[in-house]
């Protein structure tokens, strides 16, 4: 994190004194009260045991927590089936006719899926997966658009005790391949195509490229979505409608150990290789369901809930699939982009289904701001009761816009801080209790412990800033990095090893009242539109291009996307410099990154330079590059091996070599 931008953020925060308590009416009907904090503090394990009791256990646990740092086991000895908890038990309890999903396709087609329908689909899919050889303990890769089959596929895996690894639909074949290889997935579930801004785009063509050379994959199961013509490998490829539709809709869910793997989800770290974050069953589902219940004030059978995330990210896992379904939610699921076919699509959907809880990302709120308040003003948003945000810090201006123009000053806003690794929400207001401040995630939810510490691990206390740590194990915590125990210890537990703290990688500050303000990553991880991308990953993609000798990437602040990717590249000696700096050459580089990783990693801007600022030990000083990228006066250069480098860069940029959208 650039010191200058941190200081700017800190001084903005110092002036933020507005605070919005819930109305008496809201507080009176809320799922959680202030007393929950005390109850959780006085006996955390009993508190979590009460939360776990909201689930159905085939066999009750013997012990709440076994903590052998940094490895936790929650609800030891307990057995449950996650899919049974999310689907079957609601049908058995007489709620089979309740809608689980109002699904809205991008072209305007719709599907209504009740809990009975969902149970039947999940059972059929579980039978089909079994026929394709999937067994308990296997891994299944899923790359699908936002269609109901994505949820069904995940639940079918959970039902069988096979871990799924969902890969975001925008990731490149190379990114999919490396994830399949790392997890040694046996099956890939994908679709013929996907709708992108009103047009069908191919999907299977890409996934075929990914599985060209992945011996672990035995079958590719293909959902028909766009009717796009697809390449076909006989014997390996199977249509979903051919195999799933003819199965029995009966399937008995087996109980699995509370610590049985549920899924792997890959996320960017500070190196080029994504980390396979492992989540298990009992503790994860407990915290997913609990947080969804208290943070969104969800009322089963009454609320209409919509989380706008993609299934390919952790928010989609925990707050489209597992948390809401465990709580018998009626959800909206939307396939497409927010401006297809018009910029009021989200508000139209809220009006159509009477959405009461809406959970989205700050970057989208800032985009809505840009499009103008006149757009939501045209729709009836009076059904809304709670608004949520996730994925990146929300600036007070966007928070206030959201409150006034979407929530009409009556909906509590819950800014929820968490990570792929934490599995579920950790820091967020309780909407019926907390007087919220625009831009603050406020405080850890009952049962969760977080702290802000300085370099030496000492708590900073009210008014102080430093590093965010989690100082006690929590039920939904990651259980490791798939196949790499050492990296798990090193990444999360080495920074404050002495104190035994989990280091989240984020900077944070307490205000004088003790509310937590998140300040962004303090490592080499960028956050672009709420998506985590590592600088090294983009650098590796750039140097894999034949014209690039060296690359350095930084996240520069961006008014809409939070951060934008800015790359500095040195061209190879044999590349004609003028040509290499030309608009076509730079476009080719940006496209190359998009092809290597996916469009979300495409640099906003690429600058061709002759030198990069390095310390005497050869480490790139990104702080200085960030100054250039953010058009600031360049900071202290005294630790550079060659202090004239920054002058050269600034001079060089004046004569071109700069390109952006
Ligand atoms: O930097 C924090 C930011 O997103 C990171 C986690 O990214 P990911 O694992 O992709 O999960 C995103 C969705 C849970 C965090 O380390 N972040 C997430 N939520 C917030 C946030 N930063 C500030 N405020 C938030 N509410």
């Amino acid at each position: 994190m650039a010191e200058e931008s941190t200081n700017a953020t800190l001084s903005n925060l110092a002036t933020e004194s507005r605070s919005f308590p819930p109305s008496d009416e809201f507080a009176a009907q809320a799922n959680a009260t202030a007393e929950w904090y005390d109850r959780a503090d006085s006996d955390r394990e009993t508190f979590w045991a009460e939360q776990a009791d909201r689930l159905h256990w085939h066999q009750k646990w013997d012990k709440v927590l076994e903590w052998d740092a940094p490895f936790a086991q929650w609800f030891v000895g307990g057995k449950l089936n996650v899919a049974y908890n999310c689907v079957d038990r609601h049908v058995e309890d007489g709620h089979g006719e309740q809608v689980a999903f109002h699904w809205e396709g991008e072209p305007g087609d719709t599907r209504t899926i009740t809990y009975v329908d969902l149970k039947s689909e999940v059972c059929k899919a579980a039978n089909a997966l079994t026929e394709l050889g999937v067994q308990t303990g296997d891994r299944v890769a899923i790359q699908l658009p936002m269609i109901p089959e994505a949820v069904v596929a995940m639940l079918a895996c959970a039902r069988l005790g096979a871990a799924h690894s969902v890969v975001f639909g925008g990731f490149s074949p190379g990114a999919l391949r490396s994830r399949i290889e790392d997890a040694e997935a046996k099956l890939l579930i994908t679709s013929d195509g996907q709708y992108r801004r009103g047009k069908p785009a191919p999907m299977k063509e890409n996934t075929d490229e990914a599985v060209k050379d992945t011996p672990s994959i035995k079958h590719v199961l293909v959902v028909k979505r766009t009717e796009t013509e697809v390449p076909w490998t006989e014997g390996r490829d199977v249509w979903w409608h051919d195999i799933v539709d003819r199965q029995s809709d009966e399937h008995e869910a087996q109980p699995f150990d509370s610590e049985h793997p549920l899924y792997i989800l890959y996320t960017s770290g500070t190196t080029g290789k994504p980390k396979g974050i492992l989540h298990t069953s009992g503790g994860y589902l407990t915290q997913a369901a609990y947080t969804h219940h208290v943070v969104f004030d969800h009322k089963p059978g009454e609320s209409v809930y919509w989380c706008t995330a993609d299934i390919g990210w952790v928010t989609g896992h925990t707050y489209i699939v597992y948390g809401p379904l465990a709580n018998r939610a009626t959800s909206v699921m939307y396939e497409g982009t927010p401006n297809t076919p018009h910029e009021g699509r989200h508000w139209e959907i809220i009006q159509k289904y009477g959405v009461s809880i809406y959970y989205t990302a700050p970057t989208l709120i800032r985009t809505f701001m840009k499009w103008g308040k006149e757009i939501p003003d045209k729709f009836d948003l009076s059904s809304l009761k709670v608004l949520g945000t996730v994925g990146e810090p929300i600036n007070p201006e966007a928070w206030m816009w959201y409150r006034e123009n979407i929530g009409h000053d009556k909906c509590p806003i819950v800014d929820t801080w968490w990570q792929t690794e934490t599995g579920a929400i950790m820091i967020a207001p309780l909407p019926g209790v907390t007087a919220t401040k625009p831009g603050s995630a406020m405080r850890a939810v009952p049962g969760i412990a977080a702290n802000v510490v300085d370099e030496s691990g000492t708590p900073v206390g009210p008014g102080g800033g430093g590093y965010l740590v989690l100082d006690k194990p929590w039920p939904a915590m990651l259980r490791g990095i798939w196949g790499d125990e050492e990296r798990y210890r090193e990444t999360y537990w080495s920074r404050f090893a002495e104190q035994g703290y989990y280091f989240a990688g984020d900077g944070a500050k307490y205000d004088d009242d003790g509310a937590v303000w998140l300040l962004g990553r303090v490592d080499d991880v960028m956050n672009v539109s709420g998506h985590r991308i590592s600088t090294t990953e983009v650098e590796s993609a750039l140097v894999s291009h034949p014209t690039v000798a060296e690359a350095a990437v930084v996240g520069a602040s961006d008014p809409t996307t939070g951060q934008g990717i800015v790359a500095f590249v040195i061209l190879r000696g044999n590349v004609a410099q003028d040509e290499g700096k030309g608009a076509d050459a730079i476009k080719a580089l940006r496209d190359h990154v998009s092809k290597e990783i996916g469009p979300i990693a495409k640099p906003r801007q690429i600058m061709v330079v002759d030198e990069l600022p390095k310390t005497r030990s050869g480490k790139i000083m990104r702080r200085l590059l960030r100054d250039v990228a953010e058009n600031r006066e360049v900071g202290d250069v005294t630790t550079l091996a060659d202090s004239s480098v920054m002058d050269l860069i600034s001079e060089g940029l004046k004569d071109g070599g700069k390109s952006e959208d």
Side-chain angles (χ1 to χ4, degrees), residues 267 313-315 359 362 389-394 415-422 427 441 504-506 518-521 527 530-532:
T267 187
W313 309 110
V314 76
T315 309
Y359 188 32
T389 76
V390 61
E392 47 175 325
I394 178 163
D415 173 3
T416 63
W417 179 90
W418 59 293
Q419 308 177 296
T420 305
E421 291 86 343
T422 70
I427 304 178
D506 282 29
L518 276 310
L519 303 174
R521 303 286 307 191
N527 190 329
H531 299 146
R532 248 163 97 166

Side-chain angles (χ1 to χ4, degrees), residues 18-316:
R18 291 169 289 191
S19 161
F20 298 93
S23 66
D24 293 344
E25 197 190 344
F26 191 100
Q29 57 82 65
N31 289 347
T33 60
E35 180 265 330
W36 286 51
Y37 290 108
D38 305 332
R39 195 149 49 86
D41 280 349
S42 67
D43 186 348
R44 269 168 44 84
E45 291 192 12
T46 304
F47 178 83
W48 281 115
E50 282 167 21
Q51 305 317 316
D53 271 335
R54 299 163 42 80
L55 305 178
H56 173 87
W57 294 82
H58 280 75
Q59 186 179 310
K60 180 104 176 179
W61 60 89
D62 311 311
K63 196 171 178 204
V64 173
L65 171 65
E66 183 76 54
W67 179 228
D68 178 12
F71 296 97
Q73 293 180 62
W74 282 87
F75 309 113
V76 184
K79 288 193 192 315
L80 80 170
N81 185 292
V82 169
Y84 177 87
N85 269 283
C86 290
V87 187
D88 305 44
R89 66 172 171 142
H90 306 317
V91 177
E92 287 168 18
D93 291 347
H95 300 290
E97 294 311 313
Q98 185 185 320
V99 173
F101 288 102
H102 292 289
W103 178 79
E104 182 87 11
E106 193 185 79
D109 49 339
T110 60
R111 281 163 72 181
T112 308
I113 298 164
T114 63
Y115 275 94
V116 167
D117 299 335
L118 190 61
K119 174 168 180 271
S120 152
E121 288 305 307
V122 172
C123 288
K124 285 191 205 167
N127 286 324
L129 262 52
T130 305
E131 189 178 317
L132 292 172
V134 174
Q135 293 173 349
T136 305
D138 286 343
R139 272 83 54 209
V140 173
I142 300 176
Q143 190 173 44
L144 279 172
M146 287 287 290
I147 54 177
E149 285 78 4
V151 178
V152 171
M154 289 163 77
L155 290 169
C157 291
R159 195 171 186 94
L160 296 174
H164 53 71
S165 160
V166 182
V167 179
F168 175 58
F171 274 129
S172 68
L176 174 61
R177 183 189 313 119
S178 66
R179 286 158 174 77
I180 288 175
E181 282 172 350
D182 188 71
E184 296 171 291
K186 208 176 199 178
L187 174 73
L188 168 67
I189 308 180
T190 187
S191 67
D192 54 349
Q194 59 179 331
Y195 285 101
R196 280 274 128 211
R197 303 184 192 284
K199 286 196 218 79
M203 187 114 180
K204 183 160 190 295
E205 255 171 50
N206 296 342
T207 52
D208 267 14
E209 199 186 321
V211 294
K212 253 196 319 225
D213 216 3
T214 50
S216 65
I217 291 285
K218 302 296 176 233
H219 289 287
V220 177
L221 181 56
V222 190
V223 180
K224 189 172 264 183
R225 171 58 185 139
T226 52
E227 310 272 338
T228 310
E229 213 161 298
V230 291
W232 203 254
T233 303
E234 280 309 326
R236 184 196 69 185
D237 299 352
V238 188
W239 282 112
W240 176 283
H241 57 264
D242 278 345
I243 190 166
V244 175
D245 291 0
R246 66 172 164 76
Q247 302 291 329
S248 154
D249 60 5
E250 299 280 324
H251 179 275
E252 197 171 340
Q254 299 301 313
F256 297 111
D257 193 88
S258 178
E259 285 300 332
H260 190 78
L262 179 62
Y263 66 81
I264 303 167
L265 184 58
Y266 287 83
T267 187
S268 292
T270 48
T271 71
K273 189 175 179 279
K275 302 173 288 196
I277 303 300
L278 175 66
H279 284 291
T280 60
S281 305
Y284 171 79
L285 195 64
T286 297
Q287 194 179 331
Y290 156 70
T291 49
H292 177 261
H293 179 70
V294 299
V295 176
F296 299 113
D297 204 48
H298 173 262
K299 310 276 197 265
E302 283 174 41
S303 305
V304 179
Y305 166 82
W306 183 16
C307 165
T308 70
D310 189 281
I311 218 94
W313 309 110
V314 76
T315 309

